[in-house]
Every structure is written in structure tokens, then in C-alpha cells.
């Protein structure tokens, strides 16, 4: 045993609908951590929180490799703050803001960042579908207000499909977001850093012909989508996309790393959402962007840990 090793709590699994993705990410991260530098202990928040609390005084840093609610939404970050245990990624407030698409879109607009028009719909006081169509037209994008990985997302093209899509979104929670549909190129901007921010190369996402959009399966099934990194864009469009990623990161008070997803239509970007814990599987976008910037996966994890301890 090397007494100089950092004692790392690797948190993956959890209770959200993205549990399996989290476990895959956690396994990949675990393999990337140099055993000469790190002593790694694994915790699944769905069953191991009591053990984590007991062990916390003998831990140096936590790697939150969780997605969705109860991991990416500020709840676990709050527990780690109480335990005085540093962790990678954003804090409680930023995590909660980014998970709740209603709040994040309000902050985009407050900071003059372009985002699609939308309506917030309440399951308990439901807006009539015909009024939604009157305001936003068809097709629209329907998504739960507080989910990730495109869970519960649909693109209805008729009133009947809209009603069905709302039912599916409401199965995930009380609030749903209905956005105008913008047909364009899907671009994602990955940001690394605390105070000094680095925009990694942009990625263009092209879902396979079997997918209407970059849904859960298209995200995580190997070969289901094509990702081009760096994205084939002009220098000007690249600069603007990276700049928007940095501005979104700052507008939502992110730390460590983030990934902002956008649509590029007719030369204009529209921000869809910002992720505070991007996926870290073999098919995930953030590691691809880091690799294109010359940052291997193991070095990326080293850097995220450095940023966590810097906080």
C-alpha cells in the first residue's frame, strides 16, 4: 500500500432512471484511476449512504459518477458538503438549477443566451393541447422538467401525439416543458475548469436513421449515432459555439466540468440544456471532446480530481 495515495470515494449507480449508465461510467472511471495514485472505494448511493457517512473522515475526495435525480440534482452534493468531503463537479445550487430545465432556461434568458421558445405545463393544472399548438405549432419537443438522458422526451407531430407525449413526461414528475421544434444540427460544447475555463472541441451529433432524435438509446447504444469531433464548422461558428458553452457554464454557476447541448439552425445557436455530470462511458461525448484536445481519459480524471480539491 502506498500511504501517499488519495483516498477516493467513487459513487455510481443510484436510484434514477439512468442507473445503468451511471454504473457503466463508474466502471470506466475506476479502470482509469492509477492504483499507484488512488485508493478507490466504491459506493452505490441506493444502498451505501450510511457506509459513506461512516467512512467520510477517512476519505479525501468523492467522484460523483451519477446522472439524473438523487445524484446530479444537488441532493448528494448537499450531503457531501455536510461531510466536508470535496467532490468533482458543480455544487448544490448549480446542480439543482441545471437539473430543473425551467430554472436553467430562465437563467439562459436572464443572461441573453438564445434558447428555444417554450411553455411550462403543470400536471395538476394542465394546459389544453390545442392552446400549446396555437402558441408553439407542431411538431414540438416535450420533455420532463427534471430528467436527463432524454428520458421521457418525445417529438409529437399531432394533437393526439402531443397528449400522449405529455402523459409520458408527466410519468417522470409534475412539470413538463414543451419547446418549439428547431430542425438543425446538434452540437455540444464541453467546458473544463473552475475559475479559468477551457472550451474543448465541439462535437456534432448525427443520430442514426432509426432515431428521430438523440434519445436514450441513440446516446448509449454503440454505433447508434455518429459523433464528429471536432465538429466540421467554420472557425467563426466554432468560436461562437464554444463561447456559448462557457457563458452557459457561468450563467448556471457550474464548476469543474459541464456539457451544453445546442441546436445550430441557419447559422444561429439555440441552447437546449446544460449537464453538470456529463456521461463518462465508452460512447460518451465529454471524453471524446477531451481526447480531441489531447487529454486522455485517465488524465481527464486526474484533472477533475485536481479541480475538486482546488475548490
Amino acid at each position: 500500500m502506498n500511504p501517499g495515495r488519495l483516498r477516493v470515494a467513487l459513487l455510481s449507480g443510484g436510484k434514477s432512471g439512468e442507473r445503468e449508465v451511471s454504473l457503466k461510467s463508474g466502471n470506466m472511471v475506476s479502470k482509469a484511476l492509477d492504483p499507484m495514485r488512488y485508493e478507490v472505494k466504491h459506493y452505490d448511493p441506493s444502498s451505501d449512504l450510511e457506509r459513506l457517512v461512516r467512512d467520510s473522515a477517512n476519505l479525501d475526495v468523492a467522484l460523483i459518477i451519477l446522472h439524473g435525480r438523487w445524484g446530479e440534482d444537488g441532493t448528494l452534493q448537499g450531503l457531501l458538503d455536510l461531510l466536508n468531503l470535496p467532490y468533482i463537479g458543480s455544487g448544490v445550487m448549480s446542480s439543482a438549477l441545471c437539473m430543473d430545465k425551467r430554472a436553467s432556461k430562465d437563467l439562459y434568458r436572464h443572461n441573453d443566451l438564445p434558447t428555444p421558445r417554450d411553455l411550462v405545463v403543470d400536471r395538476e393544472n394542465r394546459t389544453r393541447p390545442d392552446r400549446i399548438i396555437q402558441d408553439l405549432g407542431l411538431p414540438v419537443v416535450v420533455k420532463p422538467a427534471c430528467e436527463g438522458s432524454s428520458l421521457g422526451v418525445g417529438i409529437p407531430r399531432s394533437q393526439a401525439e402531443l397528449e400522449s407525449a405529455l402523459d409520458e413526461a408527466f410519468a417522470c414528475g409534475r412539470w413538463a416543458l414543451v419547446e418549439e421544434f428547431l430542425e438543425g444540427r446538434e452540437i455540444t460544447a464541453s467546458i473544463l475548469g473552475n475559475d479559468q475555463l477551457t472550451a474543448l472541441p465541439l462535437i456534432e451529433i448525427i443520430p442514426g436513421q432509426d432515431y428521430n432524435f438523440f434519445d436514450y438509446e441513440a446516446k448509449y447504444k454503440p454505433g447508434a449515432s455518429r459523433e464528429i469531433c471536432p465538429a466540421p464548422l467554420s472557425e467563426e461558428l466554432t468560436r461562437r459555439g464554444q463561447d456559448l458553452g462557457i457563458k452557459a457554464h457561468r450563467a448556471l454557476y457550474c464548476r469543474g466540468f459541464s456539457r451544453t447541448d445546442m441546436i445550430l439552425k441557419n447559422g444561429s445557436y439555440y441552447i437546449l440544456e446544460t449537464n453538470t455530470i456529463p456521461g463518462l462511458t465508452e460512447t460518451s461525448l465529454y471524453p471524446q471532446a477531451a481526447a480531441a484536445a489531447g487529454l486522455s481519459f485517465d488524465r481527464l480524471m486526474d484533472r477533475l480530481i485536481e479541480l475538486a480539491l482546488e475548490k
Side-chain angles (χ1 to χ4, degrees), residues 234-252:
S234 68
E235 288 187 15
E236 170 63 16
L237 284 174
T238 296
R239 182 194 63 76
R240 283 167 47 199
Q242 290 176 318
D243 184 56
L244 278 176
I246 287 175
K247 287 180 177 178
H249 183 99
R250 287 186 170 137
L252 293 166

Side-chain angles (χ1 to χ4, degrees), residues 185-206:
R185 300 168 68 180
E186 296 188 49
I187 306 293
T188 191
S190 300
I191 308 302
L192 180 65
N194 287 334
D195 297 323
Q196 300 298 319
L197 300 180
T198 299
L200 303 178
L202 299 178
I203 298 178
E204 179 171 9
I205 305 156
I206 304 175

Side-chain angles (χ1 to χ4, degrees), residues 50-226:
E50 184 177 346
R51 181 166 64 92
L52 174 64
V53 172
R54 288 198 310 266
D55 294 349
S56 61
N58 296 311
L59 295 167
D60 296 310
V61 66
L63 306 186
I64 307 177
I65 313 299
L66 294 155
H67 310 297
R69 287 181 288 177
W70 311 295
E72 199 173 358
D73 61 356
T75 53
L76 190 59
Q77 289 78 1
L79 173 62
L80 295 174
D81 283 341
L82 287 171
L83 297 174
N84 199 30
L85 182 60
Y87 51 88
I88 66 169
S90 295
V92 174
M93 180 179 67
S94 174
S95 299
L97 288 171
C98 290
M99 177 54 61
D100 191 327
K101 297 175 180 63
R102 300 168 300 169
S104 54
K105 285 179 74 78
D106 283 345
L107 280 172
Y108 293 149
R109 295 188 179 101
H110 179 75
N111 287 275
D112 296 321
L113 301 179
T115 189
R117 293 184 301 122
D118 67 88
L119 290 172
V120 176
V121 184
D122 180 358
R123 183 178 59 197
E124 306 303 321
N125 187 21
R126 200 158 159 170
T127 305
R128 285 170 35 191
D130 60 315
R131 292 185 177 176
I132 295 173
I133 294 170
Q134 183 178 350
D135 285 347
L136 298 176
L138 285 173
V140 289
V141 180
V142 177
K143 58 183 73 172
C146 298
E147 278 289 357
S149 286
S150 299
L151 291 171
V153 175
I155 304 181
R157 300 177 183 275
S158 68
Q159 182 166 322
E161 288 182 2
L162 174 57
E163 292 176 353
S164 177
L166 285 169
D167 288 338
E168 186 169 349
F170 287 139
C172 299
R174 175 173 174 175
W175 302 95
L177 205 68
V178 184
E179 288 182 334
E180 64 175 328
F181 176 74
L182 298 176
E183 189 166 5
R185 300 168 68 180
E186 296 188 49
I187 306 293
T188 191
S190 300
I191 308 302
L192 180 65
N194 287 334
D195 297 323
Q196 300 298 319
L197 300 180
T198 299
L200 303 178
L202 299 178
I203 298 178
E204 179 171 9
I205 305 156
I206 304 175
Q209 60 182 7
D210 295 333
Y211 304 94
N212 291 326
F213 64 100
F214 198 46
D215 64 11
Y216 185 90
E217 184 172 308
K219 279 181 167 71
Y220 298 115
K221 181 179 178 181
S225 298
R226 187 158 60 99

